[in-house]
Amino acid sequence: MEWWKDAIIYQIYPRSFQDSNGDGIGDIPGIISRLDHLQELEVGAIWLSPVYPSPNGDNGYDISDYKNINPEYGTLEDMDRLILEAKRRGIRILMDLVINHTSTKHEWFEKSRRRIEPYTDYYYWASAKPDGSLPNNWTGFFGEDCWQWDDVRGEYYLHLFAKTQADLNYHCPKVLDEVKDVLRFWLDRGVAGFRCDVINLLWKDSLEDGENRLALTGLEHYLSLPETHDILRQLRRVLDGYKAFTVGETVFVTPEMARDLCGEGRQELNMVFSFEHMECDQHFVKWLKHDFHPKAFFKCLIKWQKELFWNAIYLENHDQPRSIPRFGSDGWWRESGKLLATLLLTLRGTPFIYQGQEIGMVDFDFDGVDQVNDVESRSVDRFLTAYHVPEALRWKIIARTSRDNARTPMQWDDGPNAGFTMADKAWLGVNRNYHFVNLADQENDPDSIWNWYKNLAKLRREREVLRRGDFLWLEATHRVFVYRRRWGAESVTVALNFSDRPARVGSRGTLLRSNYHRDGFDGRLLPWEAVILEDNGI
Ligand code: ISL
Ligand code: CA
């Protein structure tokens, strides 16, 4: 079986993981110094959010040089050392491949805006409509329009994300050659594969107006088009030479679209990050949240478990608020943190743990938008201000949805700045709760969230059924989720109580794990209890 079907993958947001030189910014030597932590968690691979040179308009998702390392994070030699030191611990490195767009500071863009060949058509350039309005009516991912005027070129360029992120034009064949070259550059250095940023948006079929939508007008002109599949198959040919792995970040995908992107035999991606389960607490767009209803969440997970043979499983990443306040309960922090860990590590697919999740980190404790760095949050704040939304409401919306909720520095211990940096101040505010949410404390506490993650990682390694077994749901009510994993003669049932009240389930069996101290299981679950049962005689 492919290594990635057995592995747990850990996502690092380098800026916030570990600072080694006291400038307040996480870096590669810092990551190297923490590899033992990841080895203890039995991590098989690390997905590194971008570490390339970048003016940080979107913290690395705006790349200005694909073949180098951001000096804030270190050097190419540091990167080589990271690959080597990780390998010594049985850990592979996955790079973030951001090829829908580059930074407007990239040399390609600088040349394209000056019409220097062969770069002239590397981006989507267009002039205003005859009436002087923008080239089309599309709207961007960060809540604003997606055309920016460039004085040098005398045209507009397309940017589906921030205006410093110009979309690459794959109608120009040279662009794909460049990307293949980037792949080879990193694969030759020993990386095991890539997480591919917004990979289902690469191809824009035309720049015509889109049908008006509440958000993302124009989507039908670029969402998972056949030419994008062609591009992925071409990239796969390069990747196959190295037996490399890819997981695609794919926005707005249905299970059917996902199967076309990562189904066996498609020769495209190995798995995708889908978003549907992350959208079940929102109306239309992520900024309009409603209460979390566990049942809708369970139904969505069931649908994806059934419809896809294998996929990426995740509850957190650098774009999403933390999972405990969102799907669990602050009041039952420890119990619900362990329950969510149980869900993540017992569904079928490859689990992704996001830094800090393994110690139950929660959302930021900022007081106002001036403490927020996230380009998306700032853009949304401008958008809401333009619509005269009062400040208090703006802050409420942003505090609940900001991507910075997941980007505060990793909480290693209860020393200054949580052990993240020796600087007086970290680049982004450290959560003041680090005095009681930190790794060092949890290492000494057998009942900690950290020890629960470790324990489940071990169970997953020991029990093939948890990795390969098929998935069958047994109960999915407004607060209880029960499912079974089966592999040959092995059968294990997982029962989760997503509520502050006791609950009952129909399943019985020999107790393998509970996030409470108990000897046996009679069908009664305590608040936020998670149990794993060995099924007898099924
Ligand atoms: O934040 C989001 C999820 O709610 C999305 O709108 C997000 O922008 C989208 O998932 C794409 O994300 C990826 O590409 C962006 C970058 O800002 C994100 O950090 C990255 O994960 C542009 O490169
Ligand atoms: Ca640093």
Coordinates of all heavy atoms in Angstrom, one line a residue, residues 437-468:
V437 N -2.4 26.3 28.4 CA -2.4 25.5 27.2 C -1.0 25.5 26.6 O -0.7 26.4 25.9 CB -3.5 26.0 26.2 CG1 -3.5 25.1 24.9 CG2 -4.9 26.1 26.8
N438 N -0.2 24.5 26.9 CA 1.1 24.4 26.3 C 1.6 23.0 26.4 O 1.2 22.2 27.2 CB 2.1 25.4 27.0 CG 2.4 25.0 28.4 OD1 3.0 24.0 28.7 ND2 1.9 25.8 29.4
L439 N 2.5 22.7 25.5 CA 3.0 21.3 25.3 C 3.7 20.8 26.6 O 3.4 19.7 27.0 CB 4.0 21.2 24.1 CG 4.6 19.8 23.9 CD1 3.5 18.8 23.5 CD2 5.7 19.9 22.9
A440 N 4.6 21.6 27.2 CA 5.4 21.1 28.3 C 4.5 20.6 29.4 O 4.7 19.5 30.0 CB 6.3 22.3 28.8
D441 N 3.4 21.4 29.7 CA 2.5 20.9 30.8 C 1.9 19.6 30.4 O 1.7 18.7 31.2 CB 1.4 21.9 30.9 CG 1.7 23.0 31.9 OD1 2.9 23.0 32.4 OD2 0.8 23.8 32.3
Q442 N 1.5 19.5 29.1 CA 0.7 18.3 28.7 C 1.6 17.1 28.6 O 1.1 16.0 28.7 CB 0.0 18.6 27.4 CG -1.0 19.7 27.5 CD -2.0 19.8 26.3 OE1 -2.2 18.9 25.6 NE2 -2.5 21.0 26.1
E443 N 2.9 17.3 28.4 CA 3.8 16.1 28.4 C 3.8 15.4 29.8 O 3.9 14.2 29.9 CB 5.2 16.6 28.0 CG 5.3 16.7 26.5 CD 6.7 17.2 26.1 OE1 7.3 17.9 26.9 OE2 7.1 17.0 25.0
N444 N 3.6 16.3 30.8 CA 3.6 15.7 32.2 C 2.3 15.2 32.7 O 2.2 14.8 33.8 CB 4.2 16.8 33.2 CG 5.6 17.2 32.8 OD1 6.4 16.4 32.4 ND2 5.9 18.5 33.0
D445 N 1.3 15.4 31.9 CA -0.1 15.0 32.3 C -0.6 13.8 31.5 O -0.9 14.0 30.3 CB -0.9 16.3 32.1 CG -2.4 16.0 32.4 OD1 -2.7 14.8 32.8 OD2 -3.2 16.9 32.2
P446 N -0.7 12.7 32.1 CA -1.1 11.5 31.3 C -2.5 11.7 30.7 O -2.8 11.0 29.7 CB -1.1 10.4 32.4 CG -1.0 11.0 33.7 CD -0.4 12.4 33.5
D447 N -3.3 12.6 31.3 CA -4.7 12.8 30.8 C -4.8 13.9 29.7 O -5.9 14.4 29.4 CB -5.6 13.1 31.9 CG -6.0 11.8 32.7 OD1 -5.9 10.7 32.1 OD2 -6.3 12.0 33.9
S448 N -3.6 14.4 29.3 CA -3.7 15.6 28.4 C -4.2 15.2 27.0 O -4.1 14.1 26.6 CB -2.3 16.2 28.3 OG -1.4 15.4 27.7
I449 N -4.6 16.3 26.3 CA -4.9 16.1 24.9 C -3.7 15.6 24.1 O -3.9 14.7 23.3 CB -5.4 17.5 24.3 CG1 -6.7 17.9 25.0 CG2 -5.6 17.4 22.8 CD1 -7.3 19.3 24.5
W450 N -2.6 16.1 24.4 CA -1.4 15.7 23.7 C -1.2 14.2 23.8 O -0.9 13.4 22.9 CB -0.2 16.5 24.2 CG 1.2 15.8 24.0 CD1 2.1 15.4 24.9 CD2 1.8 15.7 22.7 NE1 3.2 14.9 24.3 CE2 3.1 15.1 22.9 CE3 1.5 15.9 21.4 CZ2 4.0 14.7 21.9 CZ3 2.4 15.6 20.3 CH2 3.6 15.0 20.6
N451 N -1.3 13.7 25.1 CA -1.1 12.2 25.3 C -2.2 11.4 24.6 O -1.9 10.3 24.2 CB -0.9 11.9 26.8 CG 0.6 12.2 27.2 OD1 1.5 11.6 26.5 ND2 0.8 12.9 28.2
W452 N -3.3 12.0 24.5 CA -4.4 11.3 23.8 C -4.1 11.2 22.3 O -4.3 10.1 21.7 CB -5.7 12.0 24.1 CG -6.9 11.4 23.4 CD1 -7.6 11.9 22.3 CD2 -7.7 10.3 23.9 NE1 -8.6 11.1 22.0 CE2 -8.7 10.1 23.0 CE3 -7.5 9.4 24.9 CZ2 -9.6 9.1 23.1 CZ3 -8.4 8.4 25.1 CH2 -9.5 8.2 24.2
Y453 N -3.6 12.2 21.7 CA -3.2 12.2 20.3 C -2.1 11.1 20.1 O -2.2 10.3 19.2 CB -2.7 13.5 19.8 CG -3.7 14.4 19.2 CD1 -4.4 15.3 19.9 CD2 -4.0 14.3 17.8 CE1 -5.4 16.1 19.3 CE2 -5.0 15.1 17.2 CZ -5.6 16.0 18.0 OH -6.6 16.8 17.4
K454 N -1.1 11.1 21.0 CA -0.1 10.1 20.9 C -0.6 8.7 21.0 O -0.3 7.8 20.2 CB 1.0 10.3 22.0 CG 2.0 11.3 21.5 CD 3.1 11.6 22.6 CE 3.5 10.5 23.5 NZ 4.6 11.0 24.4
N455 N -1.5 8.5 22.0 CA -2.1 7.2 22.2 C -2.9 6.7 21.0 O -2.8 5.6 20.6 CB -3.0 7.4 23.4 CG -3.5 6.1 23.9 OD1 -4.1 5.3 23.2 ND2 -3.3 5.8 25.2
L456 N -3.6 7.6 20.4 CA -4.4 7.2 19.2 C -3.6 7.0 18.0 O -3.9 6.1 17.2 CB -5.5 8.3 18.9 CG -6.7 8.4 19.9 CD1 -7.7 9.3 19.3 CD2 -7.3 7.0 20.2
A457 N -2.5 7.7 17.9 CA -1.6 7.5 16.8 C -1.0 6.1 16.9 O -0.8 5.4 15.8 CB -0.4 8.6 16.8
K458 N -0.7 5.7 18.1 CA -0.1 4.4 18.3 C -1.2 3.3 18.0 O -0.9 2.3 17.3 CB 0.3 4.3 19.7 CG 0.9 2.9 20.2 CD 1.7 3.1 21.5 CE 2.2 1.8 22.0 NZ 1.1 1.1 22.8
L459 N -2.4 3.5 18.5 CA -3.5 2.6 18.2 C -3.7 2.4 16.7 O -3.9 1.3 16.2 CB -4.8 3.1 18.9 CG -6.0 2.1 18.8 CD1 -5.7 0.9 19.6 CD2 -7.2 2.8 19.3
R460 N -3.6 3.5 16.0 CA -3.8 3.5 14.5 C -2.7 2.7 13.8 O -3.0 2.0 12.9 CB -3.8 5.0 14.1 CG -4.6 5.2 12.8 CD -4.4 6.7 12.4 NE -4.3 6.7 11.0 CZ -5.3 6.8 10.2 NH1 -6.6 6.8 10.6 NH2 -5.1 6.8 8.9
R461 N -1.5 2.9 14.3 CA -0.4 2.1 13.8 C -0.6 0.6 14.0 O -0.4 -0.2 13.2 CB 0.9 2.6 14.3 CG 2.1 1.6 14.0 CD 3.4 2.2 14.3 NE 3.6 2.8 15.7 CZ 3.7 2.1 16.8 NH1 3.7 0.8 16.7 NH2 3.8 2.7 18.0
E462 N -1.0 0.3 15.3 CA -1.2 -1.1 15.6 C -2.3 -1.8 15.0 O -2.3 -3.0 14.8 CB -1.3 -1.2 17.2 CG 0.0 -0.9 17.9 CD -0.2 -0.7 19.4 OE1 -1.3 -0.7 19.9 OE2 0.8 -0.5 20.1
R463 N -3.4 -1.1 14.7 CA -4.6 -1.7 14.3 C -4.9 -1.3 12.8 O -5.4 -0.2 12.5 CB -5.8 -1.2 15.2 CG -5.7 -1.6 16.6 CD -5.6 -3.1 16.8 NE -6.7 -3.8 16.3 CZ -7.8 -4.1 17.0 NH1 -7.9 -4.0 18.3 NH2 -8.8 -4.7 16.4
E464 N -4.6 -2.3 12.0 CA -4.8 -2.1 10.5 C -6.3 -1.7 10.2 O -6.5 -0.9 9.3 CB -4.6 -3.5 9.8 CG -3.9 -3.3 8.5 CD -3.5 -4.6 7.9 OE1 -3.8 -5.7 8.5 OE2 -2.8 -4.6 6.9
V465 N -7.2 -2.2 11.0 CA -8.6 -1.9 10.7 C -8.9 -0.4 10.8 O -9.7 0.2 10.0 CB -9.5 -2.6 11.7 CG1 -9.2 -2.2 13.2 CG2 -11.0 -2.4 11.4
L466 N -8.1 0.4 11.6 CA -8.3 1.8 11.7 C -7.7 2.5 10.5 O -8.2 3.6 10.1 CB -7.7 2.4 13.0 CG -8.4 2.0 14.2 CD1 -7.7 2.6 15.5 CD2 -9.8 2.5 14.2
R467 N -6.8 1.9 9.8 CA -6.3 2.5 8.6 C -7.0 2.1 7.3 O -7.4 2.9 6.5 CB -4.8 2.2 8.5 CG -3.9 3.0 9.5 CD -2.5 2.6 9.5 NE -2.3 1.4 10.3 CZ -1.7 0.3 9.9 NH1 -1.2 0.2 8.6 NH2 -1.6 -0.7 10.7
R468 N -7.1 0.8 7.2 CA -7.7 0.3 5.9 C -9.1 -0.1 6.0 O -9.7 -0.3 4.9 CB -6.9 -1.0 5.5 CG -5.4 -0.6 5.4 CD -4.5 -1.7 5.2 NE -3.2 -1.1 5.5 CZ -2.0 -1.5 5.0 NH1 -2.0 -2.6 4.3 NH2 -0.9 -0.9 5.3

